[in-house]
Amino acid sequence: MVTAGIRIEGLRKRFGSGDTAVDALKDVNMVITPGEVVGLVGPSGSGKSTLLKCLGAVVEPSAGRMTIGDELIYDNRWVIKDLRALRRDKIGFIFQAPYLIPFLDVTDNVALLPMLAGLSNAMARKQALELLQALDVAHRARAMPSQLSGGEQQRVSIARALVNRPPVILADEPTAPLDGARALAVIRILNQMARQYEAAIIVVTHDEKIIPTFKRIYHIRDGKTHEEVGEGRDFE
Ligand SMILES: Nc1ncnc2c1ncn2[C@@H]1O[C@H](COP(=O)(O)OP(=O)(O)O)[C@@H](O)[C@H]1O
Ligand SMILES: [Mg+2]
């Protein structure tokens, strides 16, 4: 068996019970190798966010198996004890809304996680600045979140998700608030992170500008996944 960055087998999630139960995920199967960026595409309500939340250990699935790296994390129940450590050390989340900390400047919003992980303040800020530069927002390094445009806030939140170099990055509509060039810049940096740090990355999107960049796409419809070869168009 190939070492997977992410392996999901027969994943199911039911919300509620009885007459009002909703089967958000019915049969999800995905394999994402380290270094790969895949698209996850599907209509509204098809289970995309639920899937990312299950994989990110924010929502508990109902059945199936999930593996990150060589670690089985879920097998019809959580098989690892410390879900908080899993989220902190293994998963980088990028959301549609940026959720920055309002009383920290841009640099410290990004540097906070590596500082908490034990890096010196100077090293953490250096890593933060490198990513801010790559995301074309380093000129706002000393600004407060409230002073940024929506697009700038989003790029800062992407830097924050990447700074600890998590092996798994989960992005839920990350380019929604960005224009075409900036959306492609985000995809470029995600591909760079995937290659450089062997991260496995899932990007939920219906953004027509970025869908052609994926080499592989999982379609999700009615809680079930179907794999498809993407265009893998060169965008660099
Ligand atoms: N916490 C919840 N409680 C009950 N139903 C939920 C909850 N979260 C999502 N759902 C339902 O699960 C289905 C999939 O939702 P979601 O994963 O948000 O879809 P998507 O992100 O593809 O739009 C929808 O029918 C939604 O209403
Ligand atoms: Mg969603």
Side-chain angles (χ1 to χ4, degrees), residues 15-16 22-25 42-51 53 59 172 204 220:
F15 288 108
V22 174
D23 287 307
L25 304 176
S44 180
S46 57
K48 304 181 297 295
S49 294
T50 301
L51 173 53
K53 286 175 191 164
V59 159
D172 200 346
V204 168
I220 182 165

Side-chain angles (χ1 to χ4, degrees), residues 63-192:
R65 285 158 66 93
M66 299 190 291
T67 306
I68 290 179
D70 52 14
E71 192 173 23
L72 183 64
I73 64 165
Y74 182 86
D75 188 5
N76 292 311
R77 60 183 179 82
W78 294 115
V79 291
I80 51 164
K81 300 241 162 9
D82 194 345
L83 296 180
R84 187 182 299 190
L86 173 77
R87 286 192 292 267
R88 187 192 57 218
D89 301 335
K90 298 276 174 75
I91 316 275
F93 277 109
I94 302 168
F95 303 99
Q96 216 166 334
Y99 302 115
L100 298 174
I101 299 170
F103 50 83
L104 295 180
D105 73 11
V106 162
T107 307
D108 283 351
N109 259 280
V110 179
L112 182 64
L113 272 176
M115 284 176 188
L116 290 177
L119 216 60
S120 73
N121 288 6
M123 269 308 289
R125 292 202 173 103
K126 183 166 171 288
Q127 287 188 0
L129 268 173
E130 280 172 16
L131 274 169
L132 292 169
Q133 230 141 32
L135 285 157
D136 194 21
V137 71
H139 59 292
R140 306 296 268 145
R142 308 311 325 208
M144 302 305 281
S146 62
Q147 300 172 304
L148 304 179
S149 71
E152 286 171 341
Q153 289 185 25
Q154 182 61 341
R155 281 177 281 144
V156 173
S157 78
I158 291 167
R160 182 186 52 189
L162 300 179
V163 73
N164 263 359
R165 297 169 190 178
V168 168
I169 295 169
L170 305 174
D172 200 346
E173 305 267 2
T175 63
L178 305 179
D179 65 31
R182 293 230 156 88
L184 285 176
V186 165
I187 295 303
R188 190 173 303 128
I189 195 160
L190 289 178
N191 275 277
Q192 201 179 310

